[in-house]
Amino acid sequence: MNKDDDILVVKNIFKVFGDRPQEALKMLEKGADKDEIFKKTGQVVGVFDASFSVKRGEIFVIMGLSGSGKSTMVRLFNRLIEPTSGSIYLNGKEITGLNDKQLLDVRRKEMSMVFQSFALMPHMTVLENAAFGLEISGVAEQERNTRAREALAQVGLAGHEYSYPHQLSGGMQQRVGLARALANDPSILLMDEAFSALDPLIRTEMQDELIRLQAEQQRTIIFISHDLDEAIRIGHRIAIMEGGRIVQVGTPQEILNNPADAYVETFFKNVDSSKVLRAGDVARFESEIVVRQTNGATPDVPAIPYAFMVDNDGRFLGLLDNCAGRGEGPRQLAPKDLSVVAFDTPLHDVLGLAAAVPYPLPVVTREGALHGTISKDSLLKSLSRH
Amino acid sequence: MSDFNLLDPFQHLQIPLGEWVESSLNYVVQNFRGVFRAVRWPIDQVLNGIEGLLLSVPPTIGITLGSLLGWQIAGRRMGILCAVTLFMLGLIGVWAESMTTLALVLTSVFFCGLFGVPLGILCARYDRMEKTLRPVLDAMQTLPAFVYLVPVVMLFGIGNVPGVLVTIVFALPPLVRLTNLGIRQVPADKIEAARAFGCTPWQMLTRVQLPLATQTMMAGLNQTLMLSLSMVVIASMISVAGLGQMVLRGIGRLDMGLATVGGMGLVLLAIFLDRLTQAMGERSASSDMTRHWYQRGPVGLCLRILHLNNAKPGAVRHAL
């Protein structure tokens, strides 16, 4: 991905809570840490020198325990909390330099927020709540109702338009919160621990819903969570925060494989790596068991139990099975007769398949090229390593 | 100067507060009477309007309208209660006096709302405003009415209008306090959500803060109403007409019958107004918000009947 695909860029953002932030900033420059600053000046450092960027169309999860500054971080994006120093760019436009009127415009059109406590208006119907953002922006009643209805339908709440929030369950209330944010058609959806207040079953359901919505609309979502499982489940990339600092940014696999420090490592220790890793991460390309077919002619088959056939472009053609019967020569199996694993299948789903077939599992990319194979041995090794 | 005693310094150490007040009041009366007379005008207009309206309505129609209002606001039982209290007012022979008192109370509540709600909003927004206003409100509530009754008479004369003025002084504080409280009690997450969606301060106030503070504000309005009613008897000392005057005259002549009738009238009026405003406050927070106000009560009934009549021909045709 090139630089133009960054929708949100955060550069050296600091946030100090208190009446003398400049003093704290100076101490930070000199290398003082959070506790020391609090002891000497009474200033609380919320976010400490954060720099990262969010790509267009991804779910970016900011993960951290309570007090790590993640909720402060998300409020810096739409300046519900003013950053002490540093800059934030949205689509190349500097958010941190906007005047009040431009800022209102950004909040109305570019960024919508979903809250942990739902924060629905109790005196408004579900429809009015969903249309709240549009009403504030001055959209005419008819149009905003149409758009709010569409948003409600997207989150599966059609038919509840005239209920009041207190008549709905927690999960449904958060769907209204989501619809309210979607109705504005924002470039970025900010979700502050949006599912943390829901019970586990509903939470999983809402996560699936969010993944589905994101796949449909390719919307950029910044999701705040304290739950690593949730972060891994929905996040394309994760930023780990600790004590106001961004410790590491990367895909779940990257972080699992190369934790930046001991904190991240202990954090990921209890994670079921079969849920994080994907088939493509453990598949290995061994040239000795791959046979390249040229001009439709089948070459000589090496004396190995299973050989994988690819064409000149690396496209996967099938499997040559030498074990079928002795003396009869190799049996050729087309991809449709085989268990073929897509590149991005979670390893968790591969386990069963690998156990069910005698041959190593072929892993193919989205274009159909052979990415590598996963044998039972390599599968077990990759799981035990973490 | 005799010997100054340190243990009791106040024999010599005194400020002539009384004299100051008196001389400054005299100064104001002599020089600014016109200004205060001008203040009478808007109050006079509102009061005369309301009183004229209330007195021109015959009791039967008044009772009917009053109970329909009660029914609309808080259901059938409220309607019956309104009808009973209003009917009793007529039965004990104080209908006209009650209407005068009601006009007085409604006028002062109107002006209390006009000033109290904005003041409450300002208090909620600016802490400093709240801090300055709080002792003033305390004074308004605790200063004996007799103290400012005389200056008011000197500045505004006697009659119903100054009566309304002293009532406003006494009845304003709860509305200011509870408007302030109601707005401050709006949950922070709702405020944050409204900000995140780009509310201007005005939108925040009208779409979020005031609607969510309504119940508390209604409690304030209810208190203002009750305090104005309780002020009526004192205000009658400066020749304010109505039920208060009956009570005052009864006491003056040791006519317990007259005093009791007037007092009874005040109590009945208080019950009527208290229940009505309480119901309004509760309704704004009740769970039965599935139907709009026009779908309930007598209005809803009329609309349903109308709707039925309109629908009938079609329905009949359809059945055929």
Side-chain angles (χ1 to χ4, degrees):
Chain A
M1 291 223 176
N2 57 18
K3 210 79 182 120
D4 296 333
D5 278 286
D6 290 338
I7 188 165
L8 190 82
V9 179
V10 176
K11 277 186 189 155
N12 305 99
I13 280 284
F14 287 83
K15 175 64 198 177
V16 178
F17 293 101
D19 48 357
R20 288 170 300 167
Q22 293 310 322
E23 213 168 294
L25 279 187
K26 267 187 204 129
M27 289 183 68
L28 282 172
E29 267 169 35
K30 284 179 194 146
D33 73 349
K34 209 175 153 172
D35 296 332
E36 198 183 330
I37 290 170
F38 180 70
K39 227 177 263 169
K40 284 197 179 143
T41 65
Q43 311 293 296
V44 177
V45 179
V47 171
F48 179 92
D49 198 13
S51 298
F52 58 90
S53 55
V54 178
K55 291 174 186 147
R56 194 180 306 280
E58 74 173 344
I59 301 186
F60 187 84
V61 180
I62 299 177
M63 230 265 342
L65 301 179
S66 50
S68 62
K70 57 190 190 303
S71 286
T72 306
M73 184 63 121
V74 74
R75 281 164 178 73
L76 294 173
F77 297 152
N78 57 3
R79 279 173 61 192
L80 284 180
I81 297 175
E82 289 288 343
T84 309
S85 80
S87 38
I88 298 171
Y89 300 88
L90 172 71
N91 283 325
K93 184 172 60 180
E94 192 179 347
I95 298 279
T96 30
L98 297 181
N99 63 30
D100 287 357
K101 201 170 162 295
Q102 292 166 321
L103 181 62
L104 280 189
D105 238 37
V106 166
R107 287 180 184 165
R108 287 171 179 184
K109 295 188 182 125
E110 310 276 6
M111 294 188 193
S112 288
M113 202 161 169
V114 182
F115 298 86
Q116 180 177 12
S117 62
F118 318 143
L120 300 176
M121 303 299 160
H123 60 288
M124 296 181 182
T125 62
V126 165
L127 184 66
E128 285 165 343
N129 263 299
F132 181 74
L134 297 169
E135 187 194 343
I136 293 302
S137 325
V139 175
E141 185 167 0
Q142 208 146 24
E143 193 196 333
R144 69 172 187 248
N145 281 350
T146 319
R147 282 169 65 180
R149 259 175 232 278
E150 277 167 16
L152 285 170
Q154 275 173 16
V155 298
L157 272 184
H160 291 278
E161 284 89 351
Y162 298 104
S163 306
Y164 281 87
H166 69 264
Q167 295 167 322
L168 304 179
S169 67
M172 286 162 93
Q173 289 191 30
Q174 193 55 299
R175 282 167 194 265
V176 180
L178 193 55
R180 175 173 65 179
L182 288 174
N184 278 17
D185 194 22
S187 326
I188 296 187
L189 198 58
L190 304 174
M191 304 186 72
D192 181 22
E193 303 232 16
F195 304 149
S196 301
L198 305 174
D199 58 62
L201 222 63
I202 304 288
R203 194 185 311 163
T204 318
E205 195 185 308
M206 291 294 286
Q207 287 165 358
D208 291 339
E209 189 91 16
L210 189 72
I211 293 169
R212 179 183 66 76
L213 278 173
Q214 203 274 338
E216 276 172 17
Q217 307 180 343
Q218 294 298 310
R219 202 180 291 280
T220 312
I221 298 174
I222 298 179
F223 197 101
I224 307 298
S225 179
H226 63 252
D227 179 356
L228 189 58
D229 288 329
E230 182 172 68
I232 289 166
R233 214 172 119 81
I234 65 175
H236 297 147
R237 287 196 307 147
I238 301 177
I240 310 255
M241 280 191 85
E242 190 222 348
R245 212 183 280 265
I246 299 268
V247 185
Q248 189 172 13
V249 181
T251 62
Q253 298 81 9
E254 283 167 12
I255 300 180
L256 184 67
N257 287 328
N258 300 304
D261 60 12
Y263 177 77
V264 179
E265 199 172 348
T266 44
F267 219 82
F268 270 71
K269 200 155 244 171
N270 297 323
V271 167
D272 180 356
S273 52
S274 72
K275 282 181 181 158
V276 180
L277 295 176
R278 300 185 183 267
D281 297 327
V282 296
R284 269 187 301 173
F285 193 88
E286 290 164 85
S287 51
E288 56 268 28
I289 62 165
V290 175
V291 178
R292 203 168 290 272
Q293 198 180 44
T294 35
N295 303 328
T298 312
D300 294 336
V301 181
I304 47 170
Y306 301 100
F308 295 85
M309 291 193 299
V310 296
D311 67 7
N312 273 341
D313 300 329
R315 205 180 307 277
F316 180 54
L317 293 177
L319 177 76
L320 289 172
D321 183 357
N322 265 329
C323 299
R326 286 187 188 278
E328 286 172 32
R331 194 155 60 102
Q332 195 166 340
L333 293 164
K336 64 175 166 40
D337 302 319
L338 295 165
S339 292
V340 180
V341 179
F343 176 78
D344 54 359
T345 313
L347 211 52
H348 189 69
D349 301 341
V350 177
L351 296 174
L353 283 175
V357 296
Y359 47 86
L361 286 169
V363 176
V364 296
T365 62
R366 217 167 274 136
E367 291 79 32
L370 183 68
H371 178 75
T373 60
I374 302 176
S375 66
K376 292 187 189 70
D377 285 359
S378 65
L379 186 59
L380 285 175
K381 264 181 209 151
S382 68
L383 285 178
S384 66
R385 195 177 49 197
H386 295 292
Chain B
M1 271 285 200
S2 57
D3 46 341
F4 179 80
N5 187 350
L6 202 62
L7 290 176
D8 185 10
F10 302 119
Q11 283 184 2
H12 303 282
L13 208 62
Q14 277 177 342
I15 52 165
L17 181 66
E19 279 167 38
W20 288 351
V21 170
E22 209 165 317
S23 57
S24 47
L25 185 65
N26 281 334
Y27 175 78
V28 171
V29 169
Q30 272 160 16
N31 295 288
F32 296 101
R33 202 133 197 263
V35 178
F36 289 95
R37 287 277 163 177
V39 174
R40 285 183 67 134
W41 188 81
I43 299 178
D44 218 7
Q45 297 306 306
V46 175
L47 182 62
N48 286 340
I50 295 178
E51 193 175 9
L53 186 76
L54 287 176
L55 283 175
S56 67
V57 177
T60 315
I61 295 176
I63 293 170
T64 317
L65 287 178
S67 42
L68 283 179
L69 183 72
W71 182 14
Q72 181 66 57
I73 287 174
R76 214 156 301 178
R77 289 182 56 175
M78 189 68 216
I80 294 168
L81 184 84
C82 290
V84 170
T85 47
L86 290 176
F87 193 71
M88 286 292 287
L89 279 178
L91 270 190
I92 59 174
V94 293
W95 180 264
E97 286 85 353
S98 309
M99 289 304 115
T100 306
T101 299
L102 187 60
L104 218 80
V105 167
L106 290 181
T107 309
S108 54
V109 167
F110 171 79
F111 282 102
C112 283
L114 203 63
F115 296 109
V117 173
L119 276 177
I121 292 169
L122 287 176
C123 280
R125 179 146 300 171
Y126 306 106
D127 284 342
R128 186 169 289 179
M129 176 90 180
E130 194 201 8
K131 251 177 222 161
T132 9
L133 207 59
R134 188 177 277 174
V136 178
L137 294 177
D138 288 339
M140 285 164 78
Q141 271 186 307
T142 50
L143 203 67
F146 302 103
V147 174
Y148 50 85
L149 223 46
V150 177
V152 163
V153 171
M154 288 169 76
L155 292 171
F156 297 95
I158 56 166
N160 286 354
V161 174
V164 169
L165 261 170
V166 294
T167 311
I168 292 173
V169 170
F170 187 56
L172 184 68
L175 190 57
V176 179
R177 285 184 212 272
L178 285 163
T179 302
N180 173 32
L181 182 72
I183 291 177
R184 281 173 187 267
Q185 275 178 344
V186 171
D189 64 329
K190 313 271 193 275
I191 301 288
E192 188 178 46
R195 278 182 64 206
F197 281 95
C199 275
T200 59
W202 177 251
Q203 284 174 328
M204 177 80 79
L205 185 69
T206 52
R207 310 281 162 88
V208 182
Q209 289 176 318
L210 286 181
L212 289 177
T214 308
Q215 201 193 358
T216 316
M217 285 167 67
M218 287 312 279
L221 190 75
N222 173 278
Q223 283 306 297
T224 292
L225 209 61
M226 293 298 105
L227 288 184
S228 342
L229 258 180
S230 71
M231 193 63 183
V232 158
V233 178
I234 296 174
S236 65
M237 288 177 176
I238 53 171
S239 166
V240 170
L243 292 169
Q245 208 172 40
M246 286 181 77
V247 176
L248 197 70
R249 211 179 297 147
I251 295 171
R253 296 182 196 155
L254 287 181
D255 182 346
M256 284 329 286
L258 188 64
T260 309
V261 169
M264 227 15 233
L266 277 174
V267 170
L268 285 170
L269 207 56
I271 293 174
F272 169 68
L273 291 174
D274 177 50
R275 290 297 147 82
L276 212 58
T277 46
Q278 246 179 31
M280 281 161 80
E282 275 158 22
R283 194 190 57 158
S284 68
S286 79
S287 55
D288 180 33
M289 293 197 296
T290 40
R291 290 187 297 167
H292 292 282
W293 67 269
Y294 55 79
Q295 289 170 317
R296 284 187 301 243
V299 175
L301 191 68
C302 291
L303 284 177
R304 275 201 294 280
I305 290 168
L306 267 175
H307 188 73
L308 265 181
N309 282 344
N310 285 342
K312 235 169 207 163
V316 171
R317 219 179 302 135
H318 188 74
L320 287 171

